[in-house]
Amino acid sequence: MNSADAEGSARERGVHSACTQTDGLSGQIPRLSKVNLFTLLSLWMEIFPSVEQQKKSQVKKAGLVVVKNMKIVGLHCSSQDLHAGQIALIKYGSRLQNCDLYFSRKPCSMCLKMIVNAGVNRISYWPADPEISLQYEVSNGDAKLDAKAVERLKSNSRAHVCVLLQPLICHMMQFVEESCYKCDFIQKIAKIQPGLSTDFYTDCRQERIKEYERLFLISSEEMHKQMLIILGLENLCENPYFSNLRQNMKDLVLLLATIAASVPSFSHFGFYCNESELTSATNQTLPQEIARHCMVQARLLAYRTEDHKTGVGAVIWAEANSGSCDGTGALYFIGCGYNAFPVGSEYADFPHMDDKQKDREIRKFRYIIHAEQNALTFRCQEINPDERSMIFVTKCPCDECVPLIKGAGIKLIYAGDIDVGKKKADISYMKFAELEGVGKFTWQLSPFYSCAPEHQTLTDQENGVPEEHSLPEEQQHQSKVACLGD
């Protein structure tokens, strides 16, 4: 996916990987493995905000991450008419050869036969409810026949079709919880609305945990075992394999919920431009839920960082002038990255010290590749100047990256702004505010709300929405239109 990775490919035991990982760099910070990052992104893509009305069907919406040479080249989700595997075939064709595909659900036989035929290297899937539902329709004959067909395709395929989940490294969950609680998005809410309960983030996180456990886990162990048997995974139904599998699944869902809660859907907060830029930014903003979804992608990437102090993630999307077969609508993936040392670097080769060190020679800033730079370097598609492109960065782009973003032709920047306007030793964030010709959206209180709080409060009261809870999606859209134009 991007910069230096000394982490070789995992050895698999049957269909389940029981890899051990080291505690990040020199034992100082934990680091999310690439396999788990790809798995989490596939789950997150499954719940990409709908751009169309989904029909009721026994086929479940699925997320897909396409990986080549351990670099992400595509993020997709199934649409109303097409499964994720079908979308991959349409978009990539024979270019799927030697790719690894990470699905949030086991693909059906219709998809599997096509992607196996394309010559993929590995197909990994989340071991819960597959595309053809078995959890609530175990007696469904077609679902069972499809599961048998999938197993026959799997046994006669050169592609490795498997479940690939890795246990989280020591202290990873604690590290994510602490960093999410301290992140810019949560702290800004607490700062601007000090009357909020100190348990605000905890409450958000608990809501997300319940929601994602319902979506991605099977509560009954017996039901889960029965499904694994139908899916041809009998060898995972015996302990300790089954208990390890369940624990790994629960840990990953908990991690996803924790990170997703750090960019909350909260009344009057979202990605907005400053009041002085309202006119120039009119008609440019994304719907708030899609912008939030993309920022969580960037936050997931940030936990791959090689920086001891600050993890930064960036993801670039573009909006085509015409529609697409993808469940993401006109949006398509360009590239992603996180901050890391140059490819092939050994960790001990470069300084890791931050700006608090008096000796400039042992500071990291002249050596580390920024998340935005990695996203641009390892992009899988060119940026079309005639289409709207956008980059999502977990913190304000620095003076080193701002000219690169503009020069690449990116039209919009969505960012946390914790360092905007600051100069910190060897790194400056002064150019971001002065940038012209590029729409800049930071996560903040709505300018419309700050200009006319009486009107906004009345709107809340009319709709029965308490101030400490999120607005309904329709209300969020109305507020956005009032601020920035539809």
Side-chain angles (χ1 to χ4, degrees):
M1 176 196 33
N2 57 34
S3 220
D5 264 292
E7 152 192 320
S9 58
R11 288 188 182 224
E12 296 166 9
R13 179 176 182 176
V15 293
H16 177 247
S17 171
C19 301
T20 57
Q21 305 164 48
T22 57
D23 276 3
L25 304 172
S26 305
Q28 293 194 30
I29 60 168
R31 195 172 180 223
L32 192 63
S33 74
K34 278 196 171 184
V35 164
N36 281 342
L37 172 66
F38 302 150
T39 300
L40 288 170
L41 282 171
S42 73
L43 296 180
W44 187 240
M45 286 305 298
E46 179 175 313
I47 55 177
F48 190 92
S50 293
V51 293
E52 57 188 16
Q53 187 65 37
Q54 292 287 328
K55 294 181 291 188
K56 289 185 178 179
S57 170
Q58 68 172 357
V59 177
K60 303 291 185 179
K61 187 176 178 181
L64 169 63
V65 179
V66 181
V67 176
K68 192 159 193 174
N69 298 324
M70 294 305 283
K71 298 177 177 65
I72 296 174
V73 297
L75 296 175
H76 308 282
C77 67
S78 51
S79 66
Q80 179 173 304
D81 299 315
L82 292 167
H83 298 186
Q86 293 173 310
I87 290 169
L89 186 79
I90 291 170
K91 287 188 171 290
Y92 301 94
S94 61
R95 288 180 290 129
L96 284 174
Q97 186 172 3
N98 297 323
C99 286
D100 295 338
L101 306 186
Y102 290 78
F103 286 89
S104 67
R105 298 184 183 274
K106 188 171 186 178
C108 66
S109 60
M110 178 174 60
C111 293
L112 188 62
K113 67 181 180 182
M114 292 187 292
I115 55 182
V116 162
N117 184 57
V120 298
N121 177 53
R122 181 169 62 195
I123 300 163
S124 175
Y125 59 91
W126 183 254
D129 204 12
E131 273 189 326
I132 302 296
S133 178
L134 292 166
Q135 185 172 356
Y136 301 110
E137 303 177 36
V138 176
S139 61
N140 187 305
D142 288 341
K144 288 188 175 183
L145 286 173
D146 187 81
K148 290 180 179 178
V150 166
E151 280 308 297
R152 183 167 292 182
L153 285 164
K154 170 184 170 182
S155 62
N156 289 280
S157 167
R158 287 175 294 178
H160 191 180
V161 184
C162 62
V163 173
L164 188 59
L165 303 181
Q166 295 179 343
L168 294 179
I169 64 175
C170 184
H171 306 307
M172 185 74 207
M173 188 64 70
Q174 179 184 351
F175 174 70
V176 170
E177 287 180 18
E178 291 175 354
S179 57
C180 284
Y181 180 75
K182 295 175 183 177
C183 79
D184 184 39
F185 308 105
I186 295 296
Q187 292 303 309
K188 189 169 288 187
I189 290 177
K191 182 178 179 181
I192 295 178
Q193 299 208 6
L196 283 177
S197 167
T198 55
D199 294 329
F200 167 72
Y201 174 68
T202 302
D203 293 341
C204 287
R205 180 170 174 263
Q206 288 302 318
E207 288 179 12
R208 296 287 80 79
I209 291 171
K210 290 178 183 177
E211 178 185 355
Y212 299 161
E213 283 182 345
R214 186 174 65 253
L215 283 170
F216 302 126
L217 296 179
I218 301 171
S219 57
S220 166
E221 290 191 3
E222 287 306 312
M223 175 68 78
H224 196 183
K225 286 182 178 180
Q226 187 177 2
M227 185 178 297
L228 291 175
I229 291 171
I230 295 174
L231 294 178
L233 300 178
E234 298 91 342
N235 56 331
L236 288 183
C237 293
E238 299 296 328
N239 282 324
Y241 306 115
F242 181 72
S243 58
N244 289 339
L245 178 73
R246 293 274 297 182
Q247 188 60 52
N248 290 344
M249 292 175 71
K250 289 177 181 178
D251 287 346
L252 288 174
V253 169
L254 180 60
L255 195 77
L256 181 63
T258 301
I259 296 172
S262 68
V263 190
S265 297
F266 184 75
S267 178
H268 318 310
F269 278 84
F271 287 98
Y272 298 103
C273 58
N274 294 328
E275 293 175 54
S276 60
E277 299 176 332
L278 284 176
T279 303
S280 62
T282 298
N283 296 327
Q284 291 193 356
T285 186
L286 281 175
Q288 290 291 338
E289 277 306 298
I290 293 180
R292 173 184 171 272
H293 192 279
C294 295
M295 183 56 74
V296 173
Q297 295 167 5
R299 282 196 54 74
L300 282 165
L301 287 158
Y303 289 104
R304 282 287 306 155
T305 184
E306 292 180 2
D307 188 337
H308 283 184
K309 182 181 178 185
T310 306
V312 183
V315 59
I316 305 173
W317 287 83
E319 189 171 32
N321 294 326
S322 57
S324 170
C325 64
D326 208 321
T328 58
L331 287 179
Y332 64 93
F333 175 81
I334 296 287
C336 62
Y338 48 84
N339 51 337
F341 290 101
V343 170
S345 300
E346 293 296 331
Y347 296 153
D349 285 349
F350 298 120
H352 291 261
M353 301 303 181
D354 58 28
D355 58 344
K356 294 182 180 179
Q357 298 297 320
K358 293 182 180 180
D359 185 356
R360 295 179 65 192
E361 189 175 335
I362 61 172
R363 294 178 187 164
K364 64 191 176 187
F365 303 115
R366 296 183 187 276
Y367 307 99
I368 203 157
I369 308 295
H370 297 191
E372 303 94 314
Q373 296 165 6
N374 268 322
L376 288 168
T377 302
F378 295 100
R379 63 187 183 273
C380 56
Q381 299 192 52
E382 292 305 312
I383 296 171
N384 187 339
D386 297 326
E387 294 178 343
R388 186 171 64 164
S389 51
M390 57 207 79
I391 185 168
F392 297 82
V393 191
T394 55
K395 70 194 300 278
C396 178
C398 68
D399 293 356
E400 190 177 324
C401 293
V402 164
L404 293 172
I405 293 171
K406 182 176 181 179
I410 292 174
K411 303 289 196 303
L412 305 173
I413 300 174
Y414 290 82
D417 66 348
I418 192 169
D419 288 321
V420 66
K422 296 179 182 178
K423 189 169 183 179
K424 301 162 65 175
D426 285 10
I427 192 163
S428 170
Y429 299 90
M430 304 299 289
K431 289 184 179 179
F432 179 77
E434 302 167 1
L435 180 62
E436 296 181 357
V438 178
K440 303 185 293 295
F441 296 88
T442 55
W443 202 84
Q444 59 181 298
L445 188 67
S446 164
F448 173 70
Y449 174 74
S450 61
C451 290
E454 298 84 6
H455 173 79
Q456 189 68 49
T457 302
L458 180 62
T459 303
D460 287 346
Q461 291 170 349
E462 289 173 347
N463 286 277
V465 181
E467 193 172 21
E468 68 271 18
H469 289 86
S470 301
L471 287 169
E473 185 175 347
E474 183 180 4
Q475 280 295 106
Q476 290 180 353
H477 177 70
Q478 291 172 353
S479 175
K480 179 199 73 178
V481 170
C483 295
L484 304 174
D486 192 0

